[in-house]
């Protein structure tokens, strides 16, 4: 069946309305081999160009038990999350350098602080587009009568890069 379809496509490329064609209408099937998964660079380009991934989210590569999805994070406590670092910004403070990172999985995105003591040890491993498992501290404080949810990175459990 496959060979028959290839032959029909090749014949169609040769003749259009009885006339010989020099340029093919359909690209040759052999030129486009099937691939298992897009490369890391292709995933970056997809995110930059259209703002989402066309296939599976890179965080789906994490095969860890007891991970919490970002859209299911509790308001208080320590949580393990598997996510991609979508944005990172390092800043200087009186206590040293710290960072703010955005973590993204296939359900959502959060911003988290990496305080100076943690940042000093994790700085080399926390890079944009890294896929990793984190231990996060979630806290909920009232400010001006409103609930203010915040997250901070306590520990990097492992990276998949």
């Amino acid at each position: 069946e496959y060979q028959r379809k290839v032959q029909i496509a090749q014949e169609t490329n040769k003749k259009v309305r009885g006339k010989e064609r020099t340029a093919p209408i359909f690209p040759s099937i052999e030129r486009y081999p099937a691939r298992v998964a897009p490369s890391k660079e292709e995933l970056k380009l997809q995110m930059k160009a259209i703002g989402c991934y066309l296939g599976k989210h890179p965080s789906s590569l994490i095969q860890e038990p007891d991970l919490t999805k970002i859209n299911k994070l509790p308001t208080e406590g320590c949580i393990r999350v598997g996510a991609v670092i979508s944005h990172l910004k390092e800043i200087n403070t009186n206590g040293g350098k710290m960072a703010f990172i955005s973590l993204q999985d296939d359900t959502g995105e959060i911003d988290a602080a990496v305080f100076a003591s943690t940042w000093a040890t994790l700085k080399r491993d926390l890079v944009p587009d890294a896929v990793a498992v984190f231990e996060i501290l979630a806290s909920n404080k009232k400010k001006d009568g409103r609930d203010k949810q915040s997250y901070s990175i306590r520990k990097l459990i492992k990276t998949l890069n």
Side-chain angles (χ1 to χ4, degrees):
E1 180 66 21
Y2 173 76
Q3 289 297 334
R4 189 177 66 74
K5 289 182 180 180
V6 170
Q7 188 176 8
I8 291 170
Q10 289 170 345
E11 290 298 318
T12 306
N13 279 339
K14 290 180 185 174
K15 294 183 181 180
V16 175
R17 296 187 188 139
K19 296 179 184 176
E20 290 291 323
R21 276 192 60 86
T22 56
I25 296 172
F26 304 110
S28 173
I29 294 172
E30 289 81 26
R31 285 189 213 159
Y32 301 101
R35 293 196 345 225
V36 176
S39 69
K40 189 174 178 182
E41 190 61 33
E42 287 174 322
L43 290 171
K44 274 190 207 179
L45 290 172
Q46 286 176 10
M47 182 54 86
K48 185 175 181 180
I50 60 175
C52 65
Y53 298 104
L54 295 176
K56 286 186 173 182
H57 194 279
S59 67
S60 65
L61 299 171
I62 301 169
Q63 302 297 323
E64 284 280 317
D66 304 324
L67 292 182
T68 305
K69 293 288 187 181
I70 287 178
N71 68 340
K72 304 273 187 200
L73 289 176
T75 57
E76 296 282 332
C78 276
I79 312 118
R80 288 173 54 132
V81 173
V84 175
I85 299 173
S86 58
H87 183 74
L88 183 138
K89 182 178 180 180
E90 183 180 48
I91 62 168
N92 291 316
T93 66
N94 292 339
K97 291 186 176 190
M98 67 174 284
F100 291 100
I101 63 174
S102 296
L103 300 176
Q104 181 185 70
D105 70 6
D106 55 346
T107 65
E109 185 172 22
I110 60 167
D111 294 322
V114 186
F115 294 110
S117 59
T118 309
W119 180 243
T121 60
L122 301 180
K123 186 177 194 173
R124 280 172 267 142
D125 297 321
L126 298 182
V127 294
D129 302 313
V131 180
V133 178
F134 301 92
E135 184 177 292
I136 296 175
L137 178 64
S139 61
N140 192 351
K141 298 177 183 175
K142 287 210 180 257
K143 186 174 183 179
D144 298 329
R146 295 184 189 170
D147 286 341
K148 173 102 170 92
Q149 186 67 47
S150 63
Y151 302 99
S152 61
I153 303 295
R154 294 198 33 170
K155 192 186 322 184
L156 175 65
I157 296 169
K158 76 175 192 177
T159 61
L160 297 182
N161 294 358

